[in-house]
Every structure is written in C-alpha cells, then in structure tokens.
C-alpha cells in the first residue's frame, strides 16, 4: 500500500533517496510538513554514555580546564553574583566575563608554578611572522610616508598660523607708526603757526628711536628744564664756561703731589748724569757711524 511504501521511503538513507529520486520512484505526498516544534528530549543517560565513550583520563596539566566564578571586585570587596549582572547591559556583561577570566588566571597560575610549568615567554623566544619581510617592509614604508605627510601638514599649519600672526603684528606696528607720525606732524604744524610753544614731540621722537629705554612721554618726570631748554642743551651743549677751563687755580698751583724730581732734573733711567756721563745704551751719531763703517772697510 501507499502507507507502507511511504514508511519504507522515510526509513531510507540520503543516498538511497537520491537514487530513488533519479529513477523517478518518489511520488508526491511523501514529504510531510510538521506543525509546531518537536518535543525536546533530555536523555541524561544517553549523554552520560556518550561522555564516557570519548572521555580520557588525563592529568590536569594536559587538560588545563578551570571552572570558577567571577573574581572579587577590589572596590566593593565582594564577588558580583550571577543575578546582579544584567545581560542586556553590555558593560556589566563584559565586566563579568573579565572578572571570571581573572579568577581563572589567579587559580591556574599557582597550580602551574607548583607543577614547575613555565608561564613566561623566554628572552630568546622566536616567533615566525605570518607575513614575509618584504610585506612588512612595505607596511613600514607606508606608515613612515603617512607619518611624514602628517608632520609636513602640521608644520605647514604652524607656518600658516605664524605667518598670520606675523602679518597681524606687522599691521599693528605700521598703524602705530602712522598714528605717531600723524601726531608729530600735527604738533609741528601747531608749533609753526604759533599755536603751541612746546617741543615735546622732539623728545618723543628721540625716545622712540632709542627703543623706549626711559619710558614713554607720560612717564617722564616734570623736574628740570623744559623741553625747549633740553633740546638746545642737546644741540649746543650744556652751558657753562668754555674758555680757560685748563687754567691753573690756587689749589692746582699748590698741589705738588704729581711732581717727580728724577724726571724734572733729568735723573731717570737712560738719562745723562750730573757729572756729564753719557748713557750706556745711547746710539752714536751719524758721523760716528760713518767713520765706523769706513774703518771696517
């Protein structure tokens, strides 16, 4: 019957079904659509039997399996429980994984050290690169070119900023100079027309040429001669007696502290003495030198 053939076809393997499909032996209605999910079966005994078949009795150092809970939080000094972690909160979930891995490391490291298993990479450890040296050299050159391009861009940006600031400062200096020149010209015109008898603009010009060493015009003291007198003193001198400045006075005449008897009476070194003795190193005269030459011939 059709039901018997359907049951037989359903018990066939995939290869047999493919062969039957190629022969045309399969008929419509053999595939049945199941409504609803199949009932799950928790076969504990079967799972334990399968586990006992492929389970190997090996030492822990060969398995390195560690089962532990999350580590203690150093801030709260308590281990976060499973119920306290919200699975929808990404930060809490990732922190729970991190704490659990941390606790596994804290438990496994002492056991490995007790078994004398090295856990640190030796200094002469050599790991072969996944990429060739040529590929890594290309990557290095690419990174270097990118870094140089970024440095050039940053340097150009700084130069632009400095140039902009320099132009701003230069513009301010030019404006200030134009303003000072305009004020000085106005003061000169007022002086020429007789509207003002002050010559402060000359002092201001002198002070500006000296780099404002003594401060601005408003900071100068008002003591001493006026501006006109200072200008004439600068141009013609500071006044006072000029003639006879080197004449002797009564005090200078009576002052004999600079008198030297040996110099005054020709008794110094290399001078002729009182008895008329000539100096030892005195050079002979021209005629004497000529006579000496003629005798030598």
């Amino acid at each position: 019957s059709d039901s018997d053939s359907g049951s037989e076809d359903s018990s066939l393997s995939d290869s047999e079904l493919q062969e039957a499909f190629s022969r045309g032996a399969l008929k419509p209605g053999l595939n049945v659509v199941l409504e609803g999910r199949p009932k799950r079966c928790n076969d504990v005994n079967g799972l334990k039997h399968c586990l006992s078949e492929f389970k190997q009795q090996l030492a822990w150092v060969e398995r390195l399996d560690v089962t532990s809970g999350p580590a203690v939080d150093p801030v709260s000094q308590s281990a976060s429980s499973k119920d306290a972690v919200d699975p929808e909160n990404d930060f809490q979930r990732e922190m729970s994984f991190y704490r659990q891995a941390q606790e596994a490391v804290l438990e496994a490291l002492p056991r490995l050290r007790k078994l004398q298993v090295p856990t640190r990479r030796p200094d002469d450890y050599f790991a072969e690169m996944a990429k060739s040296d040529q590929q890594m050299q290309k990557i290095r050159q690419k990174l270097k070119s990118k870094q140089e391009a970024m440095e050039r861009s940053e340097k150009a940006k700084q130069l632009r900023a400095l140039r902009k600031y320099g132009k701003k400062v230069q513009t301010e200096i030019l404006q200030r100079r134009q303003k000072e020149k305009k004020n000085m010209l106005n003061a000169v015109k007022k002086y020429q027309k007789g509207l003002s008898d002050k010559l402060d603009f000359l002092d201001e010009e002198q002070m500006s040429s000296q780099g404002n060493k003594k401060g601005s015009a408003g900071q100068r003291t008002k003591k001493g001669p006026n501006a006109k007198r200072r200008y004439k003193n600068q141009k013609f001198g500071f006044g006072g007696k000029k003639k006879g400045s080197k004449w002797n006075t009564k005090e200078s005449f009576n002052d004999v502290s600079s008198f030297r008897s040996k110099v005054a009476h020709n008794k110094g070194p290399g001078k002729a003495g009182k008895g008329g003795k000539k100096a030892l190193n005195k050079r002979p005269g021209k005629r004497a030198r000529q006579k000496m030459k003629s005798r030598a011939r």
Side-chain angles (χ1 to χ4, degrees):
S1 63
D2 294 341
S3 62
D4 295 338
S5 61
S7 62
E8 290 176 359
D9 292 339
S10 62
S11 62
L12 297 176
S13 62
D14 294 340
S15 59
E16 292 174 350
L17 287 173
Q18 290 176 359
E19 292 177 1
F21 178 76
S22 61
R23 293 196 308 268
L26 295 179
K27 297 179 180 179
L30 294 179
N31 299 328
V32 180
V33 179
L34 298 177
E35 297 181 358
R37 295 183 178 180
K39 186 178 181 181
R40 296 179 180 179
C41 180
N42 187 12
D43 190 0
V44 178
N45 296 327
L47 292 174
K48 288 183 178 180
H49 178 67
C50 292
L51 179 62
S52 61
E53 288 181 356
F54 65 80
K55 185 176 181 180
Q56 298 179 357
Q57 299 294 333
L58 299 175
W60 178 83
V61 71
E62 299 292 338
R63 296 180 284 109
L64 296 178
D65 54 339
V66 177
T67 304
S68 61
V72 177
D73 190 358
V75 179
S76 61
Q77 297 295 331
S78 62
S80 57
S81 60
K82 184 178 178 181
D83 298 336
V85 179
D86 185 8
E88 301 297 332
N89 191 339
D90 297 341
F91 179 77
Q92 290 184 2
R93 186 175 65 252
E94 296 298 329
M95 185 55 66
S96 176
F97 294 156
Y98 171 76
R99 293 295 181 193
Q100 189 172 3
Q102 188 178 18
E103 180 65 22
V105 170
L106 293 175
E107 183 179 348
L109 276 179
R111 296 175 66 178
L112 290 172
R113 290 171 182 169
K114 188 176 181 180
L115 296 172
Q116 297 182 355
V117 177
T119 58
R120 290 181 177 273
R121 179 181 296 179
D123 297 334
D124 57 348
Y125 180 80
F126 176 76
E128 187 176 357
M129 300 291 290
K131 296 182 180 180
S132 62
D133 294 341
Q134 292 81 4
Q135 183 69 17
M136 294 303 296
Q137 192 68 21
K138 289 181 181 179
I139 295 173
R140 231 178 258 113
Q141 292 292 338
K142 188 72 174 177
L143 293 175
K144 186 178 179 181
S145 61
K146 284 186 178 180
Q147 185 178 3
E148 290 178 353
M150 291 176 64
E151 289 178 356
R152 286 196 299 269
S153 176
E154 189 68 22
K155 189 175 181 180
K157 189 185 296 183
Q158 292 179 359
L159 288 175
R160 285 195 298 269
L162 290 174
R163 197 178 295 115
K164 187 176 180 181
Y165 178 74
K167 286 182 178 180
K168 182 180 178 182
V169 172
Q170 186 178 8
T171 305
E172 292 178 355
I173 292 174
L174 291 175
Q175 290 178 355
R176 188 183 66 191
R177 287 179 180 175
Q178 290 177 359
K179 186 178 179 181
E180 291 176 355
K181 184 177 179 181
K182 185 178 179 181
N183 294 336
M184 189 182 69
L185 291 176
N186 292 335
V188 170
K189 288 180 181 179
K190 289 182 180 180
Y191 182 78
Q192 289 176 349
K193 294 179 181 180
L195 300 176
S196 175
D197 58 348
K198 296 181 180 180
L199 294 174
D200 295 340
F201 57 89
L202 296 175
D203 295 332
E204 292 176 3
E205 183 181 3
Q206 181 184 2
M207 296 300 292
S208 61
S209 64
Q210 294 177 355
N212 294 330
K213 292 183 180 179
K214 296 182 181 179
S216 61
Q219 295 177 352
R220 291 198 303 271
T221 58
K222 296 181 180 180
K223 296 181 180 180
N226 57 10
K228 187 174 181 180
R229 182 72 264 168
R230 289 197 300 269
Y231 173 70
K232 288 188 176 182
N233 289 343
Q234 182 185 359
K235 187 174 182 182
F236 302 108
F238 294 94
K241 186 178 180 181
K242 301 296 189 300
K243 287 185 69 175
S245 58
K246 295 185 178 180
W247 290 357
N248 273 337
T249 60
K250 184 178 180 180
E251 291 78 10
S252 64
F253 178 76
N254 294 328
D255 185 12
V256 292
S257 59
S258 61
F259 178 75
R260 299 290 183 268
S261 61
K262 292 184 178 181
V263 177
H265 298 292
N266 203 10
K267 290 184 179 180
K271 303 291 183 178
K274 193 172 183 181
K277 294 183 180 180
K278 296 183 179 180
L280 297 176
N281 296 329
K282 186 176 181 181
R283 185 185 181 192
K286 185 176 181 181
R287 289 183 180 275
R289 292 197 305 270
Q290 290 177 355
K291 288 179 179 180
M292 292 169 63
K293 287 182 181 179
S294 62
R295 288 174 185 174
R297 291 176 185 175

